């Protein structure tokens, strides 16, 4: 099982597959390497690296939960690429991963050849934040993964109207694990919630538009779910005005977040990859 040790002593899990120009895939807030399961078959001809953030998936949990931060997770990503001897790479970031990409454009300029932002931008809609805080760090009350899939299917019926139960069953297994004695368990450290609350109360949030501007000289693709509650249509339009060469696509019948195997998403990703050659 491939792992590397961060500068502050955590052992983090990663996957490294294929050959060709390197792509680093960074997942959503509570997610893990499985976030890109449906995209992987479409990235042949590339070396694809996926990483479980600290406190997620198969990576170590941190004693200091406040290190579950965008800046520290970005540093972990850079340390992984240094560990692998990769100087420059294209980054595909879903939600949290996209925020990390924006931060890296400022903290580590010159490391990225291009960026794909999956349903994330410099403004996060309050209703989306409320939804996230409603579940993050809380063990769901499902009796098993089948029940979890049924709940996902019902709960996402409006945002993802054409997604079958079978895919939600796969998602349930990506997101949760069978708990000893019944029920389901989180695949991440529940203290991630404490980190988010602590960081929200630590002072004024950074201007994410300044971080987005760090991408101005890079090829960038932005993918938005048409029914997203996190990336608003208005913010998406502002992003296109701010970055005129932005490859911008909207995926119909998707909320937060598209799976990235949709035709619209794949078109944007491949157009971005062509632009980084």
């Amino acid at each position: 099982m491939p792992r590397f040790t961060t500068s502050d002593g955590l052992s983090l899990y990663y996957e490294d597959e294929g050959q060709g120009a390197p792509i680093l895939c960074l997942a959503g807030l509570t997610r893990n390497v499985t976030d890109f399961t449906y995209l992987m078959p479409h990235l042949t001809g590339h070396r694809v690296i996926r990483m479980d953030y600290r406190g997620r998936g198969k990576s170590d949990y941190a004693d200091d939960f406040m290190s579950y931060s965008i800046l520290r997770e970005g540093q972990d990503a850079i340390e992984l690429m240094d560990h692998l001897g990769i100087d420059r790479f294209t980054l595909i970031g879903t939600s949290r991963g996209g925020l990390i990409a924006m931060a890296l454009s400022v903290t580590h300029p010159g490391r990225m050849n291009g960026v794909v932002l999956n349903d994330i931008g410099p403004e996060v809609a309050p209703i989306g934040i409320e939804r996230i805080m409603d579940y993050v760090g809380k063990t769901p009350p499902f009796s098993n993964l089948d029940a979890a899939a049924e709940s996902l299917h019902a709960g996402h019926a409006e945002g993802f109207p054409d997604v079958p139960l079978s895919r939600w069953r796969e998602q349930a297994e990506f997101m949760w694990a069978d708990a000893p004695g019944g029920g389901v368990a989180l695949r991440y450290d529940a203290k991630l919630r404490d980190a988010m609350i602590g960081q929200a109360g630590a002072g004024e949030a950074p201007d994410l538009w300044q971080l987005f501007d760090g991408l101005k000289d890079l090829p960038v693709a932005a993918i938005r779910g048409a029914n997203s509650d996190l990336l608003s249509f208005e913010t998406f339009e502002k992003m296109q005005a701010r970055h005129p060469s932005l490859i911008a696509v909207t995926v119909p019948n998707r909320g937060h977040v598209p799976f990235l195997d949709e035709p619209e998403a794949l078109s944007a990703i491949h157009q971005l990859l062509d632009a980084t050659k």
Side-chain angles (χ1 to χ4, degrees):
M1 190 164 64
R3 310 184 72 89
F4 79 104
T5 302
T6 65
S7 56
D8 61 348
L10 291 186
S11 176
L12 303 189
Y13 173 80
Y14 69 92
E15 295 186 359
D16 184 356
E17 303 174 59
Q19 295 181 338
I23 299 172
L24 174 63
C25 294
L26 297 180
L29 175 68
T30 63
R31 306 292 189 89
N32 51 63
V33 297
T34 61
D35 235 9
F36 300 95
T37 297
Y38 305 115
L39 175 61
M40 288 297 291
H42 303 279
L43 295 180
T44 54
H46 291 83
R47 180 181 180 183
V48 183
I49 299 101
R50 295 179 284 172
M51 179 183 81
D52 280 350
Y53 302 127
R54 56 180 57 216
R56 280 77 139 197
K58 299 175 184 177
S59 289
D60 283 356
Y61 291 8
D63 291 333
D64 176 14
F65 62 78
M66 289 297 283
S67 72
Y68 300 146
S69 70
I70 288 170
L71 289 178
R72 180 63 244 194
E73 290 158 15
Q75 182 62 36
D76 291 343
I78 292 296
E79 290 179 7
L80 169 59
M81 302 311 275
D82 290 345
H83 170 76
L84 296 174
I86 297 172
D87 180 46
R88 294 181 65 91
F89 52 91
T90 297
L91 195 153
I92 301 177
T94 288
S95 198
R96 175 79 156 203
L99 294 175
I100 290 172
M102 286 188 272
L104 289 178
S105 73
V106 175
T107 62
H108 292 82
R111 295 300 297 266
M112 297 184 295
N113 292 319
V115 170
V116 176
L117 302 174
N118 183 20
D119 211 60
I120 193 67
E123 293 180 23
V124 180
I127 189 173
I129 296 176
E130 290 174 9
R131 176 180 57 79
I132 290 169
M133 293 309 297
D134 190 52
Y135 74 79
V136 70
K138 300 177 181 179
T139 301
F142 308 132
S143 57
N144 52 45
L145 291 174
D146 288 336
E150 292 281 1
S151 179
L152 288 173
H153 190 219
H156 289 84
E158 185 174 348
F160 296 78
D162 61 352
V163 176
L165 177 61
S166 58
R167 176 157 290 200
W168 292 119
R169 181 58 178 79
E170 293 170 345
Q171 284 293 303
E173 194 158 345
F174 295 160
M175 296 164 65
W176 301 295
D178 288 312
V184 301
L186 301 176
R187 289 192 182 273
Y188 64 92
D189 187 351
K191 291 182 179 179
L192 178 59
R193 179 182 186 84
D194 300 314
M196 294 181 69
I197 292 171
Q199 290 157 13
E204 186 175 350
D207 181 0
L208 297 181
W209 283 107
Q210 291 185 4
L211 300 185
F212 179 73
D213 286 344
L215 302 173
K216 66 182 183 300
D217 295 326
L218 291 177
V220 178
I223 298 165
R224 177 180 179 267
N227 303 322
S228 177
D229 65 353
L230 209 73
L231 176 56
S232 72
F233 175 76
E234 292 75 19
T235 297
F236 200 51
E237 282 195 320
K238 290 179 186 176
M239 291 166 66
Q240 294 171 64
R242 197 106 162 196
H243 195 311
S245 61
L246 187 73
I247 302 164
V249 300
T250 298
V251 183
N253 293 332
R254 293 292 181 268
H256 185 76
V257 289
F259 297 106
L260 297 182
D261 63 345
E262 301 89 354
E264 299 82 3
L266 290 173
S267 175
I269 290 168
H270 288 139
Q271 189 177 342
L272 182 283
L273 293 176
D274 286 343
T276 61
K277 290 180 179 177

